[in-house]
Amino acid sequence: MSKPAMLSPAQRVRLLAFPEEERDLVRHYTLSDTDRAMLVSKRGDQNRLGFAVQLCCLRFPGQAFTANGGAAQIPRHVVEFVAEQLGIEPQAFTAYARRDETRREHLLELRMALGMRTFDGQTRQALSAWLLPVAMGTDKGVALVETLLEEMRRRQIIIPNLMVVERLAEETRSTARRESAHRDRQRQRHQRDAERRVAGAAHQGDVPAQRR
């Protein structure tokens, strides 16, 4: 019998959902002067818009197009919000979405410009060590995954497929459970040892009284 998944389908959708409220769009996707400066070298509206949308997606929810189901999965209202800032028709994004090579080139450029890192063995090990104390304090899968995603954004690590993140959280939770069980056994052993010492001391104290 397979063990239940850490996250439900609805939770997976929610954790990496694009913002919908105006205030959240403004917070995550307002282009700064520095952002706009990177667009100067991009030729054509489709490339300027696509580069800007990819920049925004890397910041939140924190994934590249390829890790989020492709550029076609970017919600229209996000594209429209970015396009309006640039004075570009949102339809220009359709042409960009078809050019995988261009998107990959832009992703590499953005990684360098934003100082972002990919999720690899080294970052995985570091995140697991960081998450372990959190997992010692809570057993809730969605809380662990959500905390892990927030930390990856803080560290500017490009978030991989959510199943990879979920698996890391699950493995860390299992380690925390084993560590917690080990500590409980140690605590119980120390308690039994202490009780035996107390009982032994009491017995030794009773012997002279019996002989008198």
Side-chain angles (χ1 to χ4, degrees):
M1 182 178 179
S2 60
K3 59 184 178 181
M6 176 173 270
L7 300 177
S8 68
Q11 287 170 336
R12 291 192 182 102
V13 171
R14 179 182 66 80
L15 285 172
L16 288 177
F18 286 87
E20 296 185 359
E21 298 292 333
E22 181 74 16
R23 63 178 182 275
D24 294 325
L25 291 170
V26 170
R27 174 189 173 193
H28 293 296
Y29 299 147
T30 297
L31 298 173
S32 67
D33 291 340
T34 302
D35 297 337
R36 292 172 181 272
M38 288 191 286
L39 302 176
V40 174
S41 62
K42 306 299 175 288
R43 298 177 57 184
D45 285 351
Q46 72 273 15
N47 286 329
R48 284 191 290 273
L49 178 57
F51 187 92
V53 170
Q54 187 157 203
L55 164 64
C56 292
C57 291
L58 283 171
R59 286 181 173 157
F60 193 88
Q63 289 187 313
F65 288 170
T66 52
N68 198 39
Q73 299 300 315
I74 309 302
R76 181 172 179 79
H77 70 273
V78 172
V79 176
E80 290 175 346
F81 183 82
V82 178
E84 185 177 2
Q85 295 179 69
L86 301 175
I88 297 174
E89 290 296 324
Q91 290 78 3
F93 186 71
T94 303
Y96 183 81
R98 291 195 296 261
R99 303 187 62 180
D100 187 64
E101 183 178 354
T102 301
R103 295 202 313 272
R104 293 181 184 277
E105 290 174 355
H106 287 176
L107 175 59
L108 180 59
E109 181 180 346
L110 283 165
R111 277 182 50 199
M112 299 293 292
L114 300 176
M116 301 192 76
R117 296 177 291 162
T118 57
F119 182 86
D120 56 19
Q122 185 176 1
T123 55
R124 188 185 191 284
Q125 185 175 7
L127 286 167
S128 180
W130 175 87
L131 186 65
L132 184 58
V134 181
M136 295 291 291
T138 180
D139 205 50
K140 295 182 178 180
V142 65
L144 291 175
V145 175
E146 193 164 21
T147 300
L148 192 53
L149 290 173
E150 291 173 358
E151 181 65 12
M152 292 176 75
R153 293 181 185 116
R154 190 188 70 81
R155 297 190 187 197
Q156 294 188 296
I157 298 170
I158 299 175
I159 297 171
N161 186 286
L162 188 57
M163 294 297 291
V164 175
V165 182
E166 186 176 348
R167 187 159 54 248
L168 172 57
E170 174 62 44
E171 291 173 359
T172 305
R173 183 172 68 174
S174 296
T175 301
R177 285 172 173 173
R178 290 193 299 271
E179 178 66 21
S180 180
H182 175 67
R183 292 183 182 183
D184 287 342
R185 288 192 297 270
Q186 283 187 318
R187 188 161 47 247
Q188 292 169 5
R189 185 168 59 249
H190 292 329
Q191 184 176 353
R192 288 194 299 269
D193 291 344
E195 290 172 352
R196 281 195 293 266
R197 287 194 295 269
V198 170
H203 177 70
Q204 290 176 358
D206 288 343
V207 171
Q210 292 172 359
R211 289 177 179 175
R212 289 197 300 269

